[in-house]
Amino acid sequence: MPKKMMKKEEKSMEIKIEKSKTKKSALKKLGMEEEILKKKLFFEPNLKDYEKTRKIFSWKKTIKEFSKHENLNAAYIALDKHIKTWRKNKIALIVEDENEKIEKLSFLDLYRLSNRFANLLKDLGIKRKDRCFIFLPRVPEVYIAFYGIIKNLGIAGNIFAAFGSQGLKDRLDDSEARFIVTNGELKKRIYEAEPKNIEYIIDIDGDVNKESKYHEINYKEEMKTKSSYFEIPKTSLEDYCFMLYTSGTTGKPKGVVHAHEALLVGMLTADWVLDLKDEDIYWCTADHGWVTGTMYGILANFALGATSIIYNGRFNAEKWYSIIEKHRVSVWYTAPTAIRMLEKEEEIYKKYDLSSLRHLCSVGEPLNPEPIKWGLKAFGLPFHDTWWQTETGGILIANYPCMPIKLGSMGKPIPGIKADIVDDKGNVLKEYQLGNLAIKPSWPSMMREIWKNEEKYKSYFVKGWYITGDLAYKDKDGYFWFVGRADDVIKTSGERVGPFEVESALVAHEAVAEAAVIGKPDPLRGEIIKAFLILKKGYNPSKELEEDIKQFVKNKLAGHAYPREIEFVNSLPKTRSGKIARRVLKARELGLDVGDISTIEEY
Ligand code: WTA
């Protein structure tokens, strides 16, 4: 059993479970009393009976039904199909920015604009499977570009706008992207990154440099000249659709590739879990640079015909509530850190009319009982936890509106998905035993490939199971409980960060000789990034140097992936082969027993 990354209470829980085998006392220890939430339902949920649906569900039948669509391209299913219905003039997207500028686009607007963009790319010579990245803040062009790319059967890649030149370079070079869509401001970082394979930079602000070594394309001018009609080529469920870079313990980020078929899981879960209906105003707070913002911000939400809202700005409690009030948001998909940030500003919610909210969901980090209880107090509704990963493409474990919530549990696998807890050899464990959360392959939104890295792809599988990298256990009722990560991946404010990427950025600083990075538990952000640094000769620890290093990583790697805490040290624990033993640093930081360190040396 992977014990290395467990927090104190998780460890004590495990001991309790192993010793007493009584789950009740162990759960109590964690403060996770088996409280069943009795909630008022103001609406008829889409999924009426979880157990019954699970019993009769068949992928074969569902895929057959899905395949009846005129075209299997995700852009057709999410967008174009609505043009033939009454939804044509319905508002698909509302975008509000920090200055309260509001833009509204109907399904027809999005259809026409994405067709123009598809023609623009076609004229530039985009080919099937060509990688085209979107490096933009939350503006309508993200949606227009995404659909335009996949209509051409290109692979759309979303990159979080907080990434700096190095973060960008790693992603663009590994994917060998030919196209990138950006704005005047972010374009500077592309030039700093000097990507090797980029041929075209499409600038939505249109301020293009004709002398550039890349071809700069004036989006505004070009879009005017393109036709708003585009025929999507015949697409198969297996054609590649989008890719997102995500982090593991080792090495640079990996490109997770999804096929057009992934939308099927997105649609089923947007129906069963997010409970989206035609009349909903839906707000997914995740950025499109993360998988939630892609699958449930660009694809599945549109496919179900709901009106979606995006806010292009920084977190601000007043602003968030005003968005819900002003646009009458009814379904809200957010993350525990955001909920905790709202909770911190306790009384503000009382100033707003939030009565339009009818269903709340959460993802990305453990949703502890506390934010659920606070949600009940503030909104009169519980947050429903959902579990999934970039690799799984869609929600796989969830709490459904029709099912009682157990506070602190991720819920149960969606119909069609078999999840279980297995040991490191892939043997299924018993109820309440802590182990690896594993999923039985395969399902339609399962990643199709790790870009050009078959070895990495294969490493996810053990004895016929897809191993998620999460530690969890299952209770007697089939509910799953998240306990921690089995590896060194950091989740800070719900955003996934690999320690290696941060360490690489740190050692590029002139003063840093060696660096090790861990996720340190944080009451607000879930985890924060903490770095242990050995300085080069001639440099001394100081507050100024600390600040300089933080700023350096923000600029070079990403605004969200810098160490909020730095400790200067004289040595680091390493294995005999010279690898940094992050588990030892983490255990020390948490005041835990460091375990067997016979193979660890300090230097
Ligand atoms: C974590 C995000 C606890 C988990 C959609 C997983 C969660 C990783 C939950 C994937 C949850 C996601 N409770 N932890 N409900 N949902 N995680 O790829 O460690 O950014 O493996 O996908 O987030 O992060 P990713």
Side-chain angles (χ1 to χ4, degrees), residues 292 364-366 385-390 470 482 485 491 496:
T292 308
E365 329 153 54
D385 196 12
T386 69
W387 175 94
W388 60 297
Q389 307 179 296
T390 307
D470 285 349
F482 178 86
R485 282 289 305 184
K491 267 286 173 144
R496 186 163 158 183

Side-chain angles (χ1 to χ4, degrees), residues 330-348:
S330 52
V331 177
W332 192 21
Y333 196 18
T334 189
T337 295
I339 304 168
R340 286 189 293 262
M341 282 175 160
L342 292 171
E343 187 180 352
K344 240 178 61 172
E345 299 183 51
E346 180 53 70
E347 295 302 306
I348 297 181

Side-chain angles (χ1 to χ4, degrees), residues 472-500:
Y473 66 93
K474 192 172 83 171
D475 72 15
K476 65 174 188 337
D477 302 319
Y479 281 74
F480 284 80
W481 299 74
F482 178 86
V483 172
R485 282 289 305 184
D487 58 17
D488 295 345
V489 166
I490 300 164
K491 267 286 173 144
T492 177
S493 301
E495 285 156 0
R496 186 163 158 183
V497 177
F500 181 80

Side-chain angles (χ1 to χ4, degrees), residues 286-300:
D287 191 90
H288 53 270
W290 307 108
V291 74
T292 308
T294 299
M295 182 48 91
Y296 298 99
I298 304 183
L299 289 169

